[in-house]
């Protein structure tokens, strides 16, 4: 099976966003606030652009593969970090590791939020027209996310 050619412009944009993340985390002034307005939405937009829509809708194995490739290292790392580095061994700590998102301190929220978003996106694409999904994303993109593991 031939691999798709990588887009140099997307790779450059991803590299720029990664650099902005590092700068924003070191600078807690105005630059931090400005970068935080756009860097994560761009990461999510790029992730959506790079998803294989046909496989996402038609093949359960594609979604399962995404989950395995992201969740396995995530769970292993968080288990080691929570129980052996931070030495937190309460039921509450275990629940936070399983739930993920903002329940865990640090930068780990992105993995669970990304997977949750892909899962919801796949469901929407299977149930509604592309036009309806785009409208739902535009309307719901700024909605309250307290119930989801994204924030």
């Amino acid at each position: 099976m031939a691999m798709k050619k990588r887009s140099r412009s997307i790779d450059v944009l991803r590299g720029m966003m990664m650099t902005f993340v590092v700068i924003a985390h070191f600078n807690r002034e105005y630059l931090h606030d400005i970068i935080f307005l756009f860097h994560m939405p761009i990461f999510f937009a790029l992730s959506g652009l790079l998803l294989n829509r046909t496989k996402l809708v038609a093949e359960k194995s594609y979604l399962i593969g995404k989950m395995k490739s992201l969740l396995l290292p995530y769970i292993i790392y968080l288990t080691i970090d929570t129980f052996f580095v931070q030495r937190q061994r309460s039921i509450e700590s275990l629940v936070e590791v399983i739930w993920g998102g903002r329940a865990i301190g640090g930068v780990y929220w992105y993995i669970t939020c990304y997977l949750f978003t892909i899962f919801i996106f796949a469901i929407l694409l299977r149930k509604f027209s592309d036009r309806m999904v785009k409208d739902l994303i535009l309307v719901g993109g700024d909605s309250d996310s307290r119930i989801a593991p994204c924030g």
Side-chain angles (χ1 to χ4, degrees):
M1 173 186 261
M3 286 183 49
K4 282 186 173 181
K5 186 178 179 214
R6 290 180 67 109
S7 168
R8 183 170 166 78
S9 59
I10 289 178
D11 285 344
V12 168
L13 185 57
R14 288 170 72 187
M16 287 171 51
M17 292 304 105
M18 288 179 216
T19 303
F20 282 141
V21 168
V22 172
I23 291 169
H25 281 283
F26 279 106
N27 182 318
R28 294 291 181 181
E29 301 295 325
Y30 296 111
L31 189 57
H32 167 274
D33 295 342
I34 292 169
I35 292 172
F36 269 62
L37 288 173
F38 65 85
H39 79 290
M40 292 316 295
I42 290 176
F43 272 128
F44 272 91
L46 286 174
S47 296
L49 181 68
L50 298 173
L51 277 177
N52 187 325
R53 186 209 183 282
T54 304
K55 286 184 178 180
L56 182 64
V57 172
E59 299 175 22
K60 289 181 183 177
S61 61
Y62 181 76
L63 190 55
I64 292 168
K66 283 277 185 202
M67 291 173 63
K68 284 181 181 177
S69 69
L70 292 170
L71 280 180
L72 185 61
Y74 172 82
I75 290 170
I76 291 170
Y77 175 80
L78 281 179
T79 301
I80 292 168
D81 183 52
T82 301
F83 298 116
F84 300 106
V85 176
Q86 296 180 31
R87 298 175 192 221
Q88 297 178 12
R89 294 183 176 94
S90 67
I91 296 296
E92 182 181 350
S93 297
L94 179 62
V95 170
E96 287 175 351
V97 167
I98 292 169
W99 181 249
R102 292 281 175 152
I104 308 167
V107 297
Y108 312 112
W109 67 270
Y110 182 77
I111 300 294
T112 51
C113 186
Y114 176 65
L115 285 172
F116 182 79
T117 303
I118 290 174
F119 181 72
I120 296 301
F121 189 54
I123 291 171
L124 291 174
L125 286 173
R126 288 178 183 152
K127 301 286 182 192
F128 302 104
S129 69
D130 283 1
R131 174 68 188 191
M132 176 65 84
V133 171
K134 289 175 186 175
D135 290 346
L136 287 170
I137 290 170
L138 285 174
V139 171
D142 193 33
S143 66
D144 191 347
S145 63
R146 282 180 271 186
I147 61 166
C150 298

